[in-house]
């Protein structure tokens, strides 16, 4: 379902962007970088977090690391990663394919500044074998994401 929901999202909002599929898994940053022929920093990973009663998604560079203190300061609570079943239930996407597109229901989306180091990034597209190539600005625009600084940036 989720690959289809991502395809439908782009068909409606950005028909010029097409989903690319890989015969090999792109479920981790390392695998995705290999599958799509890019450096790991260009992989836009999506973190599914619960902060208090809220669930949010943060999209960040594949080589960045979430900074709990920055997240707590930005969102007013301690972040907790969602469990496997929770991720699929809430986003409609399986772990390894979670992205800010074609979500089961609307969620607040945030893009970390670490993405701005790249002209094009490669986020997943709803499955462990799919992705899209998109500029960070366009991704934020299409998903109504807010820019935040919540990661430790590593080259």
């Amino acid at each position: 379902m989720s690959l289809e929901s991502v395809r439908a999202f782009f068909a409606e909002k950005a028909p010029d962007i097409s989903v690319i599929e890989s015969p090999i898994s792109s479920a981790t940053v390392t695998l995705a970088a290999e599958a799509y022929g890019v450096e790991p920093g260009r992989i836009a990973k999506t973190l599914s977090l619960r902060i208090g009663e809220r669930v949010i998604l943060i999209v960040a560079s594949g080589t960045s690391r979430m900074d709990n203190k920055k997240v707590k300061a930005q969102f007013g609570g301690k972040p907790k990663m969602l469990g496997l079943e929770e991720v699929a239930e809430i986003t409609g996407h399986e772990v390894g394919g979670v992205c800010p597109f074609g979500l089961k229901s609307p969620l607040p989306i945030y893009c970390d500044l670490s993405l701005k180091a790249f002209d094009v990034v490669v986020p997943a597209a709803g499955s462990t074998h799919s992705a899209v190539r998109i500029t960070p600005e366009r991704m934020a625009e299409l998903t109504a994401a807010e820019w935040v600084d919540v990661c430790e940036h590593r080259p």
Side-chain angles (χ1 to χ4, degrees):
M1 172 202 134
S2 67
L3 176 57
E4 290 76 30
S5 70
V6 172
R7 284 190 202 280
F9 174 91
F10 283 110
E12 179 188 331
K13 297 181 184 278
D16 59 305
I17 296 175
S18 52
V19 173
I20 48 179
E21 293 187 74
S22 168
I24 62 172
S25 174
S26 54
T28 67
V29 169
T30 304
L31 290 172
E34 190 176 309
Y36 301 110
V38 298
E39 62 198 278
R42 284 188 188 274
I43 300 303
K45 62 184 176 185
T46 302
L47 307 171
S48 309
L49 306 172
R50 181 177 302 285
I51 300 171
E53 295 300 309
R54 296 181 300 159
V55 172
I56 66 168
L57 299 181
I58 297 175
V59 187
S61 164
T63 54
S64 67
R65 186 181 172 105
M66 187 175 72
D67 182 322
N68 285 323
K69 287 180 183 166
K70 286 183 177 182
V71 172
K72 191 172 181 181
Q74 176 75 40
F75 298 106
K78 184 178 179 185
K80 183 176 186 235
M81 297 294 272
L82 296 183
L84 293 178
E85 287 87 30
E86 247 187 328
V87 169
E89 177 61 33
I90 292 170
T91 68
H93 302 320
E94 61 185 309
V95 169
V98 177
C99 62
F101 319 111
L103 297 169
K104 185 174 178 179
S105 52
L107 290 170
I109 299 166
Y110 300 89
C111 286
D112 184 72
L113 293 177
S114 59
L115 296 168
K116 289 197 173 194
F118 305 98
D119 55 343
V120 172
V121 294
V122 183
S127 78
T128 58
H129 289 77
S130 62
V132 294
R133 294 181 193 272
I134 190 169
T135 67
E137 292 75 19
R138 184 113 186 259
M139 178 171 57
E141 180 186 311
L142 288 172
T143 61
E146 182 182 321
W147 287 99
V148 293
D149 179 11
V150 294
C151 290
E152 174 189 312
H153 310 291
R154 295 188 283 175

